[in-house]
Each structure stands twice: as structure tokens, then as C-alpha cells.
Short mmCIF file of all heavy atoms in Angstrom, two decimals:
data_model
loop_
_atom_site.label_atom_id
_atom_site.label_comp_id
_atom_site.label_asym_id
_atom_site.label_seq_id
_atom_site.Cartn_x
_atom_site.Cartn_y
_atom_site.Cartn_z
N MET A 1 197.16 -50.94 -37.77
CA MET A 1 195.99 -51.47 -37.11
C MET A 1 195.60 -52.79 -37.75
O MET A 1 195.73 -52.99 -38.93
CB MET A 1 194.84 -50.47 -37.19
CG MET A 1 193.57 -50.98 -36.58
SD MET A 1 192.38 -49.67 -36.37
CE MET A 1 191.13 -50.60 -35.56
N SER A 2 195.11 -53.70 -36.94
CA SER A 2 194.68 -55.02 -37.41
C SER A 2 193.43 -54.91 -38.26
O SER A 2 192.59 -54.04 -38.07
CB SER A 2 194.40 -55.94 -36.23
OG SER A 2 195.56 -56.15 -35.48
N THR A 3 193.31 -55.84 -39.17
CA THR A 3 192.11 -55.89 -39.99
C THR A 3 191.01 -56.64 -39.23
O THR A 3 191.28 -57.32 -38.24
CB THR A 3 192.38 -56.62 -41.30
OG1 THR A 3 192.68 -57.99 -41.02
CG2 THR A 3 193.52 -55.99 -42.07
N ILE A 4 189.82 -56.50 -39.71
CA ILE A 4 188.69 -57.21 -39.10
C ILE A 4 188.94 -58.71 -39.10
O ILE A 4 188.67 -59.40 -38.12
CB ILE A 4 187.38 -56.88 -39.86
CG1 ILE A 4 187.04 -55.41 -39.76
CG2 ILE A 4 186.23 -57.75 -39.38
CD1 ILE A 4 186.66 -54.94 -38.37
N GLN A 5 189.48 -59.23 -40.19
CA GLN A 5 189.75 -60.66 -40.28
C GLN A 5 190.77 -61.11 -39.23
O GLN A 5 190.61 -62.17 -38.63
CB GLN A 5 190.25 -61.04 -41.69
CG GLN A 5 189.22 -60.88 -42.77
CD GLN A 5 189.12 -59.44 -43.30
OE1 GLN A 5 189.93 -58.58 -42.97
NE2 GLN A 5 188.10 -59.18 -44.09
N GLU A 6 191.79 -60.31 -39.00
CA GLU A 6 192.81 -60.65 -38.00
C GLU A 6 192.21 -60.63 -36.59
O GLU A 6 192.49 -61.52 -35.79
CB GLU A 6 193.99 -59.67 -38.08
CG GLU A 6 194.82 -59.83 -39.33
CD GLU A 6 195.83 -58.71 -39.50
OE1 GLU A 6 195.58 -57.58 -39.04
OE2 GLU A 6 196.88 -58.99 -40.11
N ILE A 7 191.39 -59.65 -36.34
CA ILE A 7 190.76 -59.55 -35.01
C ILE A 7 189.83 -60.73 -34.80
O ILE A 7 189.85 -61.39 -33.75
CB ILE A 7 190.01 -58.22 -34.87
CG1 ILE A 7 191.00 -57.06 -34.87
CG2 ILE A 7 189.14 -58.21 -33.61
CD1 ILE A 7 190.35 -55.70 -35.01
N THR A 8 189.00 -61.03 -35.80
CA THR A 8 188.06 -62.14 -35.71
C THR A 8 188.79 -63.46 -35.52
O THR A 8 188.37 -64.31 -34.72
CB THR A 8 187.18 -62.20 -36.98
OG1 THR A 8 186.51 -60.94 -37.11
CG2 THR A 8 186.15 -63.30 -36.88
N ALA A 9 189.89 -63.64 -36.22
CA ALA A 9 190.67 -64.88 -36.10
C ALA A 9 191.31 -65.01 -34.73
O ALA A 9 191.48 -66.13 -34.22
CB ALA A 9 191.74 -64.93 -37.19
N ALA A 10 191.64 -63.90 -34.09
CA ALA A 10 192.30 -63.94 -32.78
C ALA A 10 191.33 -64.19 -31.63
O ALA A 10 191.73 -64.71 -30.58
CB ALA A 10 193.04 -62.62 -32.54
N LEU A 11 190.06 -63.87 -31.80
CA LEU A 11 189.09 -63.97 -30.70
C LEU A 11 189.00 -65.35 -30.07
O LEU A 11 188.98 -65.46 -28.84
CB LEU A 11 187.71 -63.51 -31.17
CG LEU A 11 187.58 -62.01 -31.44
CD1 LEU A 11 186.21 -61.71 -32.03
CD2 LEU A 11 187.83 -61.20 -30.19
N PRO A 12 188.97 -66.45 -30.84
CA PRO A 12 188.86 -67.78 -30.20
C PRO A 12 190.04 -68.13 -29.30
O PRO A 12 189.93 -68.98 -28.42
CB PRO A 12 188.78 -68.74 -31.38
CG PRO A 12 188.30 -67.92 -32.53
CD PRO A 12 188.86 -66.55 -32.29
N ASN A 13 191.16 -67.46 -29.49
CA ASN A 13 192.36 -67.75 -28.70
C ASN A 13 192.45 -66.95 -27.41
O ASN A 13 193.36 -67.18 -26.60
CB ASN A 13 193.61 -67.50 -29.54
CG ASN A 13 193.62 -68.34 -30.80
OD1 ASN A 13 193.26 -69.51 -30.78
ND2 ASN A 13 194.01 -67.74 -31.91
N LEU A 14 191.52 -66.03 -27.19
CA LEU A 14 191.57 -65.18 -26.02
C LEU A 14 190.92 -65.86 -24.81
O LEU A 14 190.02 -66.67 -24.95
CB LEU A 14 190.85 -63.86 -26.30
CG LEU A 14 191.44 -62.99 -27.40
CD1 LEU A 14 190.59 -61.74 -27.61
CD2 LEU A 14 192.88 -62.61 -27.11
N SER A 15 191.39 -65.47 -23.64
CA SER A 15 190.80 -65.99 -22.40
C SER A 15 189.45 -65.33 -22.16
O SER A 15 189.11 -64.32 -22.79
CB SER A 15 191.72 -65.69 -21.21
OG SER A 15 191.73 -64.29 -20.96
N ILE A 16 188.69 -65.89 -21.25
CA ILE A 16 187.39 -65.31 -20.89
C ILE A 16 187.58 -63.88 -20.40
O ILE A 16 186.83 -62.98 -20.77
CB ILE A 16 186.69 -66.17 -19.82
CG1 ILE A 16 186.34 -67.55 -20.38
CG2 ILE A 16 185.44 -65.47 -19.28
CD1 ILE A 16 185.40 -67.54 -21.56
N GLU A 17 188.59 -63.65 -19.58
CA GLU A 17 188.84 -62.31 -19.04
C GLU A 17 189.16 -61.33 -20.17
O GLU A 17 188.69 -60.19 -20.17
CB GLU A 17 189.99 -62.34 -18.03
CG GLU A 17 189.65 -63.06 -16.75
CD GLU A 17 189.75 -64.59 -16.88
OE1 GLU A 17 190.37 -65.10 -17.84
OE2 GLU A 17 189.19 -65.27 -16.01
N GLU A 18 189.94 -61.77 -21.15
CA GLU A 18 190.27 -60.90 -22.28
C GLU A 18 189.04 -60.61 -23.13
O GLU A 18 188.83 -59.47 -23.56
CB GLU A 18 191.36 -61.55 -23.14
CG GLU A 18 192.70 -61.60 -22.46
CD GLU A 18 193.71 -62.48 -23.17
OE1 GLU A 18 193.31 -63.54 -23.72
OE2 GLU A 18 194.90 -62.12 -23.16
N LEU A 19 188.19 -61.61 -23.33
CA LEU A 19 186.96 -61.40 -24.09
C LEU A 19 186.03 -60.43 -23.36
O LEU A 19 185.42 -59.55 -23.98
CB LEU A 19 186.25 -62.73 -24.33
CG LEU A 19 186.90 -63.67 -25.33
CD1 LEU A 19 186.21 -65.03 -25.31
CD2 LEU A 19 186.89 -63.08 -26.73
N GLN A 20 185.93 -60.58 -22.04
CA GLN A 20 185.09 -59.67 -21.26
C GLN A 20 185.61 -58.24 -21.33
O GLN A 20 184.83 -57.30 -21.42
CB GLN A 20 185.00 -60.15 -19.81
CG GLN A 20 184.18 -61.41 -19.66
CD GLN A 20 184.26 -62.03 -18.28
OE1 GLN A 20 185.21 -61.79 -17.53
NE2 GLN A 20 183.28 -62.85 -17.94
N HIS A 21 186.93 -58.09 -21.32
CA HIS A 21 187.52 -56.76 -21.42
C HIS A 21 187.19 -56.14 -22.78
O HIS A 21 186.80 -54.96 -22.85
CB HIS A 21 189.04 -56.83 -21.23
CG HIS A 21 189.72 -55.52 -21.41
ND1 HIS A 21 189.69 -54.54 -20.44
CD2 HIS A 21 190.43 -55.02 -22.44
CE1 HIS A 21 190.36 -53.49 -20.88
NE2 HIS A 21 190.81 -53.76 -22.09
N ILE A 22 187.30 -56.91 -23.84
CA ILE A 22 186.98 -56.41 -25.18
C ILE A 22 185.50 -56.05 -25.27
O ILE A 22 185.13 -55.01 -25.81
CB ILE A 22 187.38 -57.45 -26.25
CG1 ILE A 22 188.90 -57.52 -26.34
CG2 ILE A 22 186.75 -57.12 -27.61
CD1 ILE A 22 189.41 -58.64 -27.21
N GLU A 23 184.65 -56.91 -24.71
CA GLU A 23 183.22 -56.65 -24.73
C GLU A 23 182.89 -55.34 -24.02
O GLU A 23 182.12 -54.52 -24.51
CB GLU A 23 182.45 -57.80 -24.10
CG GLU A 23 180.95 -57.63 -24.14
CD GLU A 23 180.21 -58.81 -23.52
OE1 GLU A 23 180.82 -59.55 -22.74
OE2 GLU A 23 179.03 -58.96 -23.84
N GLN A 24 183.49 -55.12 -22.85
CA GLN A 24 183.26 -53.89 -22.09
C GLN A 24 183.74 -52.68 -22.88
O GLN A 24 183.07 -51.64 -22.92
CB GLN A 24 183.96 -53.95 -20.73
CG GLN A 24 183.66 -52.77 -19.85
CD GLN A 24 182.18 -52.68 -19.52
OE1 GLN A 24 181.56 -53.65 -19.13
NE2 GLN A 24 181.60 -51.52 -19.70
N THR A 25 184.87 -52.81 -23.54
CA THR A 25 185.40 -51.72 -24.35
C THR A 25 184.45 -51.38 -25.49
O THR A 25 184.17 -50.20 -25.76
CB THR A 25 186.79 -52.09 -24.91
OG1 THR A 25 187.67 -52.35 -23.81
CG2 THR A 25 187.36 -50.98 -25.78
N ILE A 26 183.91 -52.40 -26.13
CA ILE A 26 182.95 -52.18 -27.23
C ILE A 26 181.69 -51.52 -26.70
O ILE A 26 181.17 -50.57 -27.30
CB ILE A 26 182.66 -53.50 -27.96
CG1 ILE A 26 183.90 -53.95 -28.72
CG2 ILE A 26 181.46 -53.35 -28.90
CD1 ILE A 26 183.82 -55.35 -29.29
N HIS A 27 181.18 -51.98 -25.55
CA HIS A 27 179.99 -51.36 -24.96
C HIS A 27 180.24 -49.88 -24.66
O HIS A 27 179.38 -49.04 -24.92
CB HIS A 27 179.59 -52.08 -23.69
CG HIS A 27 179.00 -53.44 -23.93
ND1 HIS A 27 178.66 -54.29 -22.92
CD2 HIS A 27 178.70 -54.10 -25.06
CE1 HIS A 27 178.17 -55.40 -23.42
NE2 HIS A 27 178.19 -55.31 -24.72
N ASN A 28 181.42 -49.58 -24.13
CA ASN A 28 181.75 -48.18 -23.84
C ASN A 28 181.80 -47.35 -25.11
O ASN A 28 181.38 -46.18 -25.11
CB ASN A 28 183.07 -48.09 -23.07
CG ASN A 28 182.94 -48.58 -21.65
OD1 ASN A 28 181.85 -48.62 -21.08
ND2 ASN A 28 184.06 -48.99 -21.07
N LEU A 29 182.30 -47.93 -26.19
CA LEU A 29 182.33 -47.21 -27.47
C LEU A 29 180.92 -46.93 -27.97
O LEU A 29 180.63 -45.84 -28.48
CB LEU A 29 183.10 -48.01 -28.52
CG LEU A 29 184.62 -48.00 -28.38
CD1 LEU A 29 185.25 -49.01 -29.32
CD2 LEU A 29 185.17 -46.61 -28.65
N TYR A 30 180.02 -47.90 -27.83
CA TYR A 30 178.63 -47.67 -28.22
C TYR A 30 178.05 -46.50 -27.43
O TYR A 30 177.38 -45.63 -27.99
CB TYR A 30 177.77 -48.91 -27.96
CG TYR A 30 177.89 -50.01 -28.98
CD1 TYR A 30 177.94 -51.34 -28.57
CD2 TYR A 30 177.94 -49.75 -30.34
CE1 TYR A 30 178.03 -52.37 -29.49
CE2 TYR A 30 178.04 -50.77 -31.27
CZ TYR A 30 178.08 -52.08 -30.84
OH TYR A 30 178.17 -53.09 -31.75
N ARG A 31 178.29 -46.49 -26.13
CA ARG A 31 177.76 -45.42 -25.30
C ARG A 31 178.34 -44.06 -25.71
O ARG A 31 177.62 -43.08 -25.84
CB ARG A 31 178.07 -45.69 -23.83
CG ARG A 31 177.30 -46.86 -23.26
CD ARG A 31 177.69 -47.14 -21.80
NE ARG A 31 177.01 -48.33 -21.32
CZ ARG A 31 177.63 -49.46 -21.00
NH1 ARG A 31 178.95 -49.56 -21.06
NH2 ARG A 31 176.93 -50.50 -20.58
N THR A 32 179.65 -44.03 -25.93
CA THR A 32 180.33 -42.80 -26.30
C THR A 32 179.85 -42.28 -27.66
O THR A 32 179.69 -41.08 -27.85
CB THR A 32 181.86 -43.02 -26.36
OG1 THR A 32 182.28 -43.55 -25.12
CG2 THR A 32 182.59 -41.73 -26.64
N ARG A 33 179.60 -43.20 -28.57
CA ARG A 33 179.17 -42.82 -29.93
C ARG A 33 177.67 -42.61 -30.04
O ARG A 33 177.15 -42.35 -31.11
CB ARG A 33 179.63 -43.88 -30.93
CG ARG A 33 181.15 -43.93 -31.04
CD ARG A 33 181.59 -44.97 -32.00
NE ARG A 33 183.05 -45.05 -32.04
CZ ARG A 33 183.73 -45.79 -32.88
NH1 ARG A 33 183.08 -46.55 -33.76
NH2 ARG A 33 185.04 -45.80 -32.84
N ASP A 34 176.98 -42.73 -28.93
CA ASP A 34 175.54 -42.48 -28.87
C ASP A 34 174.76 -43.36 -29.85
O ASP A 34 173.87 -42.89 -30.54
CB ASP A 34 175.24 -41.01 -29.10
CG ASP A 34 173.85 -40.61 -28.63
OD1 ASP A 34 173.34 -41.25 -27.69
OD2 ASP A 34 173.28 -39.67 -29.21
N VAL A 35 175.12 -44.64 -29.89
CA VAL A 35 174.37 -45.60 -30.69
C VAL A 35 172.99 -45.71 -30.07
O VAL A 35 172.82 -45.57 -28.86
CB VAL A 35 175.08 -46.97 -30.68
CG1 VAL A 35 174.24 -48.04 -31.34
CG2 VAL A 35 176.44 -46.86 -31.37
N HIS A 36 171.99 -45.95 -30.87
CA HIS A 36 170.62 -46.05 -30.37
C HIS A 36 170.50 -47.26 -29.45
O HIS A 36 170.33 -48.38 -29.88
CB HIS A 36 169.63 -46.14 -31.52
CG HIS A 36 169.66 -44.92 -32.37
ND1 HIS A 36 169.06 -43.74 -32.00
CD2 HIS A 36 170.24 -44.68 -33.57
CE1 HIS A 36 169.26 -42.83 -32.93
NE2 HIS A 36 169.98 -43.37 -33.89
N ILE A 37 170.62 -46.98 -28.16
CA ILE A 37 170.62 -48.02 -27.14
C ILE A 37 169.22 -48.12 -26.54
O ILE A 37 168.65 -47.13 -26.10
CB ILE A 37 171.66 -47.74 -26.05
CG1 ILE A 37 173.06 -47.75 -26.66
CG2 ILE A 37 171.54 -48.73 -24.91
CD1 ILE A 37 174.16 -47.32 -25.72
N ILE A 38 168.68 -49.32 -26.54
CA ILE A 38 167.37 -49.56 -25.97
C ILE A 38 167.49 -49.83 -24.48
O ILE A 38 166.68 -49.38 -23.68
CB ILE A 38 166.69 -50.76 -26.68
CG1 ILE A 38 166.44 -50.40 -28.15
CG2 ILE A 38 165.41 -51.18 -25.97
CD1 ILE A 38 165.96 -51.55 -28.99
N TYR A 39 168.53 -50.57 -24.09
CA TYR A 39 168.70 -50.97 -22.70
C TYR A 39 170.17 -50.87 -22.35
O TYR A 39 171.02 -51.29 -23.12
CB TYR A 39 168.19 -52.40 -22.52
CG TYR A 39 168.05 -52.82 -21.09
CD1 TYR A 39 166.97 -52.38 -20.32
CD2 TYR A 39 168.98 -53.65 -20.50
CE1 TYR A 39 166.84 -52.77 -19.00
CE2 TYR A 39 168.85 -54.04 -19.18
CZ TYR A 39 167.77 -53.60 -18.44
OH TYR A 39 167.64 -53.98 -17.14
N ASP A 40 170.49 -50.31 -21.19
CA ASP A 40 171.88 -50.12 -20.79
C ASP A 40 171.97 -50.28 -19.27
O ASP A 40 171.36 -49.52 -18.53
CB ASP A 40 172.34 -48.73 -21.21
CG ASP A 40 173.81 -48.47 -20.94
OD1 ASP A 40 174.49 -49.33 -20.35
OD2 ASP A 40 174.29 -47.40 -21.32
N ASP A 41 172.69 -51.33 -18.82
CA ASP A 41 172.88 -51.50 -17.39
C ASP A 41 174.24 -52.14 -17.15
O ASP A 41 175.07 -52.21 -18.04
CB ASP A 41 171.75 -52.32 -16.76
CG ASP A 41 171.70 -53.76 -17.22
OD1 ASP A 41 172.62 -54.19 -17.95
OD2 ASP A 41 170.75 -54.46 -16.85
N ASP A 42 174.47 -52.61 -15.94
CA ASP A 42 175.77 -53.18 -15.58
C ASP A 42 176.10 -54.45 -16.37
O ASP A 42 177.25 -54.82 -16.47
CB ASP A 42 175.81 -53.50 -14.08
CG ASP A 42 175.85 -52.25 -13.23
OD1 ASP A 42 176.24 -51.18 -13.75
OD2 ASP A 42 175.48 -52.33 -12.05
N TYR A 43 175.07 -55.11 -16.90
CA TYR A 43 175.30 -56.35 -17.63
C TYR A 43 175.65 -56.10 -19.09
O TYR A 43 176.11 -56.98 -19.78
CB TYR A 43 174.06 -57.26 -17.55
CG TYR A 43 173.78 -57.70 -16.14
CD1 TYR A 43 172.74 -57.14 -15.42
CD2 TYR A 43 174.57 -58.66 -15.53
CE1 TYR A 43 172.48 -57.53 -14.12
CE2 TYR A 43 174.32 -59.06 -14.23
CZ TYR A 43 173.27 -58.49 -13.53
OH TYR A 43 173.02 -58.89 -12.25
N GLY A 44 175.39 -54.92 -19.56
CA GLY A 44 175.69 -54.61 -20.95
C GLY A 44 174.63 -53.73 -21.56
O GLY A 44 173.85 -53.08 -20.87
N ILE A 45 174.62 -53.74 -22.89
CA ILE A 45 173.68 -52.89 -23.61
C ILE A 45 172.86 -53.73 -24.57
O ILE A 45 173.21 -54.86 -24.91
CB ILE A 45 174.42 -51.78 -24.38
CG1 ILE A 45 175.38 -52.40 -25.40
CG2 ILE A 45 175.14 -50.84 -23.47
CD1 ILE A 45 176.01 -51.40 -26.33
N TRP A 46 171.75 -53.18 -25.01
CA TRP A 46 170.88 -53.80 -26.01
C TRP A 46 170.56 -52.70 -27.01
O TRP A 46 169.92 -51.71 -26.66
CB TRP A 46 169.61 -54.34 -25.35
CG TRP A 46 168.76 -55.17 -26.26
CD1 TRP A 46 167.62 -54.77 -26.89
CD2 TRP A 46 168.96 -56.53 -26.63
NE1 TRP A 46 167.10 -55.80 -27.63
CE2 TRP A 46 167.91 -56.89 -27.49
CE3 TRP A 46 169.93 -57.47 -26.33
CZ2 TRP A 46 167.80 -58.16 -28.04
CZ3 TRP A 46 169.82 -58.74 -26.88
CH2 TRP A 46 168.77 -59.06 -27.72
N THR A 47 171.04 -52.86 -28.23
CA THR A 47 170.87 -51.82 -29.25
C THR A 47 169.69 -52.13 -30.16
O THR A 47 169.14 -53.23 -30.13
CB THR A 47 172.14 -51.68 -30.10
OG1 THR A 47 172.32 -52.89 -30.84
CG2 THR A 47 173.37 -51.40 -29.25
N GLU A 48 169.34 -51.16 -31.00
CA GLU A 48 168.30 -51.39 -31.99
C GLU A 48 168.70 -52.55 -32.91
O GLU A 48 167.86 -53.34 -33.31
CB GLU A 48 168.06 -50.13 -32.81
CG GLU A 48 167.33 -49.05 -32.07
CD GLU A 48 167.09 -47.81 -32.92
OE1 GLU A 48 167.40 -47.81 -34.12
OE2 GLU A 48 166.57 -46.83 -32.37
N HIS A 49 169.98 -52.63 -33.23
CA HIS A 49 170.47 -53.72 -34.08
C HIS A 49 170.24 -55.08 -33.40
O HIS A 49 169.77 -56.02 -34.04
CB HIS A 49 171.96 -53.52 -34.38
CG HIS A 49 172.55 -54.55 -35.26
ND1 HIS A 49 172.24 -54.67 -36.59
CD2 HIS A 49 173.44 -55.53 -34.99
CE1 HIS A 49 172.91 -55.69 -37.11
NE2 HIS A 49 173.65 -56.23 -36.16
N ASP A 50 170.55 -55.17 -32.11
CA ASP A 50 170.30 -56.41 -31.36
C ASP A 50 168.81 -56.76 -31.40
O ASP A 50 168.44 -57.92 -31.60
CB ASP A 50 170.73 -56.27 -29.89
CG ASP A 50 172.22 -56.04 -29.74
OD1 ASP A 50 173.00 -56.64 -30.50
OD2 ASP A 50 172.59 -55.26 -28.84
N GLN A 51 167.96 -55.76 -31.21
CA GLN A 51 166.52 -55.98 -31.21
C GLN A 51 166.04 -56.48 -32.56
O GLN A 51 165.24 -57.41 -32.65
CB GLN A 51 165.79 -54.68 -30.84
CG GLN A 51 164.30 -54.83 -30.68
CD GLN A 51 163.93 -55.66 -29.47
OE1 GLN A 51 164.60 -55.60 -28.45
NE2 GLN A 51 162.86 -56.42 -29.57
N ASN A 52 166.56 -55.88 -33.63
CA ASN A 52 166.17 -56.31 -34.98
C ASN A 52 166.60 -57.74 -35.26
O ASN A 52 165.84 -58.52 -35.84
CB ASN A 52 166.74 -55.36 -36.02
CG ASN A 52 166.11 -53.99 -35.98
OD1 ASN A 52 165.00 -53.83 -35.50
ND2 ASN A 52 166.82 -53.00 -36.47
N LEU A 53 167.81 -58.10 -34.84
CA LEU A 53 168.28 -59.47 -35.05
C LEU A 53 167.44 -60.47 -34.26
O LEU A 53 167.09 -61.54 -34.77
CB LEU A 53 169.75 -59.59 -34.65
CG LEU A 53 170.76 -58.90 -35.55
CD1 LEU A 53 172.16 -59.01 -34.95
CD2 LEU A 53 170.74 -59.49 -36.95
N ALA A 54 167.12 -60.13 -33.02
CA ALA A 54 166.30 -61.03 -32.20
C ALA A 54 164.90 -61.18 -32.79
O ALA A 54 164.36 -62.29 -32.84
CB ALA A 54 166.23 -60.51 -30.77
N SER A 55 164.32 -60.08 -33.25
CA SER A 55 162.99 -60.14 -33.85
C SER A 55 162.99 -61.00 -35.10
O SER A 55 162.08 -61.81 -35.31
CB SER A 55 162.51 -58.72 -34.21
OG SER A 55 162.40 -57.94 -33.05
N ALA A 56 164.00 -60.85 -35.94
CA ALA A 56 164.09 -61.64 -37.16
C ALA A 56 164.19 -63.13 -36.83
O ALA A 56 163.58 -63.96 -37.49
CB ALA A 56 165.28 -61.18 -37.99
N ALA A 57 164.96 -63.46 -35.80
CA ALA A 57 165.11 -64.86 -35.40
C ALA A 57 163.78 -65.43 -34.92
O ALA A 57 163.43 -66.57 -35.25
CB ALA A 57 166.18 -65.00 -34.31
N VAL A 58 163.03 -64.65 -34.17
CA VAL A 58 161.72 -65.11 -33.68
C VAL A 58 160.76 -65.32 -34.85
O VAL A 58 160.06 -66.34 -34.92
CB VAL A 58 161.13 -64.10 -32.66
CG1 VAL A 58 159.67 -64.41 -32.37
CG2 VAL A 58 161.95 -64.11 -31.38
N PHE A 59 160.73 -64.38 -35.80
CA PHE A 59 159.83 -64.52 -36.94
C PHE A 59 160.21 -65.74 -37.79
O PHE A 59 159.32 -66.44 -38.29
CB PHE A 59 159.82 -63.25 -37.79
CG PHE A 59 158.99 -62.16 -37.17
CD1 PHE A 59 159.57 -60.96 -36.81
CD2 PHE A 59 157.63 -62.34 -36.94
CE1 PHE A 59 158.82 -59.95 -36.23
CE2 PHE A 59 156.87 -61.33 -36.36
CZ PHE A 59 157.46 -60.14 -36.01
N ARG A 60 161.51 -66.00 -37.95
CA ARG A 60 161.93 -67.21 -38.69
C ARG A 60 161.43 -68.46 -37.97
O ARG A 60 160.94 -69.40 -38.61
CB ARG A 60 163.45 -67.26 -38.84
CG ARG A 60 163.99 -66.39 -39.95
CD ARG A 60 165.45 -66.69 -40.26
NE ARG A 60 166.32 -66.54 -39.11
CZ ARG A 60 166.88 -65.40 -38.73
NH1 ARG A 60 166.65 -64.30 -39.40
NH2 ARG A 60 167.67 -65.36 -37.67
N LEU A 61 161.53 -68.49 -36.66
CA LEU A 61 161.06 -69.63 -35.88
C LEU A 61 159.55 -69.80 -36.02
O LEU A 61 159.06 -70.92 -36.22
CB LEU A 61 161.44 -69.46 -34.41
CG LEU A 61 161.01 -70.58 -33.46
CD1 LEU A 61 161.64 -71.91 -33.86
CD2 LEU A 61 161.38 -70.22 -32.03
N LEU A 62 158.81 -68.70 -35.92
CA LEU A 62 157.36 -68.77 -36.07
C LEU A 62 156.95 -69.27 -37.45
O LEU A 62 156.04 -70.08 -37.59
CB LEU A 62 156.73 -67.41 -35.79
CG LEU A 62 156.79 -66.92 -34.34
CD1 LEU A 62 156.29 -65.49 -34.24
CD2 LEU A 62 155.99 -67.84 -33.44
N GLU A 63 157.64 -68.78 -38.49
CA GLU A 63 157.34 -69.23 -39.85
C GLU A 63 157.64 -70.71 -40.01
O GLU A 63 156.88 -71.44 -40.65
CB GLU A 63 158.13 -68.40 -40.85
CG GLU A 63 157.62 -66.98 -40.97
CD GLU A 63 158.51 -66.09 -41.81
OE1 GLU A 63 159.57 -66.56 -42.28
OE2 GLU A 63 158.15 -64.91 -41.99
N LYS A 64 158.74 -71.16 -39.43
CA LYS A 64 159.10 -72.58 -39.49
C LYS A 64 158.04 -73.43 -38.82
O LYS A 64 157.64 -74.48 -39.33
CB LYS A 64 160.46 -72.80 -38.83
CG LYS A 64 160.97 -74.21 -38.88
CD LYS A 64 162.32 -74.32 -38.20
CE LYS A 64 162.80 -75.76 -38.16
NZ LYS A 64 164.07 -75.90 -37.46
N GLU A 65 157.55 -72.99 -37.66
CA GLU A 65 156.50 -73.71 -36.95
C GLU A 65 155.21 -73.73 -37.75
O GLU A 65 154.52 -74.75 -37.81
CB GLU A 65 156.25 -73.08 -35.58
CG GLU A 65 157.34 -73.34 -34.57
CD GLU A 65 157.46 -74.80 -34.20
OE1 GLU A 65 156.42 -75.46 -34.02
OE2 GLU A 65 158.59 -75.29 -34.09
N GLU A 66 154.90 -72.61 -38.38
CA GLU A 66 153.69 -72.54 -39.18
C GLU A 66 153.76 -73.51 -40.37
O GLU A 66 152.79 -74.22 -40.65
CB GLU A 66 153.47 -71.11 -39.68
CG GLU A 66 152.18 -70.92 -40.43
CD GLU A 66 151.97 -69.47 -40.83
OE1 GLU A 66 152.34 -68.57 -40.06
OE2 GLU A 66 151.42 -69.25 -41.92
N VAL A 67 154.89 -73.56 -41.03
CA VAL A 67 155.06 -74.50 -42.15
C VAL A 67 154.97 -75.91 -41.65
O VAL A 67 154.31 -76.76 -42.25
CB VAL A 67 156.42 -74.24 -42.85
CG1 VAL A 67 156.75 -75.36 -43.81
CG2 VAL A 67 156.39 -72.91 -43.59
N SER A 68 155.57 -76.19 -40.50
CA SER A 68 155.53 -77.53 -39.92
C SER A 68 154.10 -77.93 -39.58
O SER A 68 153.67 -79.05 -39.85
CB SER A 68 156.41 -77.58 -38.67
OG SER A 68 156.30 -78.84 -38.04
N ASP A 69 153.32 -76.99 -39.00
CA ASP A 69 151.93 -77.27 -38.65
C ASP A 69 151.10 -77.51 -39.91
O ASP A 69 150.24 -78.40 -39.94
CB ASP A 69 151.33 -76.12 -37.86
CG ASP A 69 151.84 -76.05 -36.44
OD1 ASP A 69 152.47 -77.05 -35.98
OD2 ASP A 69 151.64 -75.02 -35.78
N ASN A 70 151.34 -76.75 -40.96
CA ASN A 70 150.59 -76.90 -42.20
C ASN A 70 150.91 -78.23 -42.88
O ASN A 70 150.05 -78.84 -43.50
CB ASN A 70 150.87 -75.75 -43.16
CG ASN A 70 150.22 -74.46 -42.70
OD1 ASN A 70 149.27 -74.47 -41.92
ND2 ASN A 70 150.73 -73.35 -43.17
N ASN A 71 152.14 -78.68 -42.76
CA ASN A 71 152.54 -79.96 -43.37
C ASN A 71 152.01 -81.14 -42.56
O ASN A 71 151.84 -82.23 -43.09
CB ASN A 71 154.05 -80.06 -43.49
CG ASN A 71 154.59 -79.14 -44.57
OD1 ASN A 71 153.87 -78.74 -45.48
ND2 ASN A 71 155.86 -78.77 -44.46
N ALA A 72 151.72 -80.94 -41.29
CA ALA A 72 151.22 -82.03 -40.44
C ALA A 72 149.75 -82.29 -40.69
O ALA A 72 149.26 -83.39 -40.43
CB ALA A 72 151.45 -81.70 -38.97
N ASN A 73 149.02 -81.28 -41.17
CA ASN A 73 147.59 -81.45 -41.44
C ASN A 73 147.39 -81.93 -42.87
O ASN A 73 147.83 -81.28 -43.81
CB ASN A 73 146.85 -80.13 -41.23
CG ASN A 73 146.91 -79.67 -39.79
OD1 ASN A 73 146.92 -80.50 -38.89
ND2 ASN A 73 146.96 -78.37 -39.58
N PRO A 74 146.68 -83.07 -43.05
CA PRO A 74 146.48 -83.59 -44.40
C PRO A 74 145.56 -82.76 -45.24
O PRO A 74 144.79 -82.04 -44.98
CB PRO A 74 145.89 -84.98 -44.17
CG PRO A 74 145.51 -85.08 -42.73
CD PRO A 74 146.13 -83.91 -42.03
#
């Protein structure tokens, strides 16, 4: 079996159709393994992990804006 590094290195060389096939396969594995899925439809899934990453990104952006606003006020 390929290592994670080999798989990751191969991804940029795949066609869009191949990437979509891999993505669908991964989504099916999440469903089969009963990963904590928040949202699941024809477009894909949204897991707790996805939600946590998105929330962290939003909080980083808000903190950056807050620092920027504080630095703008003399």
C-alpha cells in the first residue's frame, strides 16, 4: 500500500475526474465509518472536523481585524 506521502505527491497529477472519484470514495468511507457528520447531501459531507477548522479560520480573521482596528486608533 502507498504511503501518505506518495498519495499526497500523486494528487496534483490527477485529472479532475480522478480527484472527484477519490473525493467521493473518501466521503463514502466517512459515511460507512459513522464519522460525526453535520451535513450530508449530494454535494458532499461536512464533518465536525470541517466545522472546527472553519470556526478557527473565522476567529483568526476576527482577531486580525481587531488588532488592525486597535492599531488604527491612536
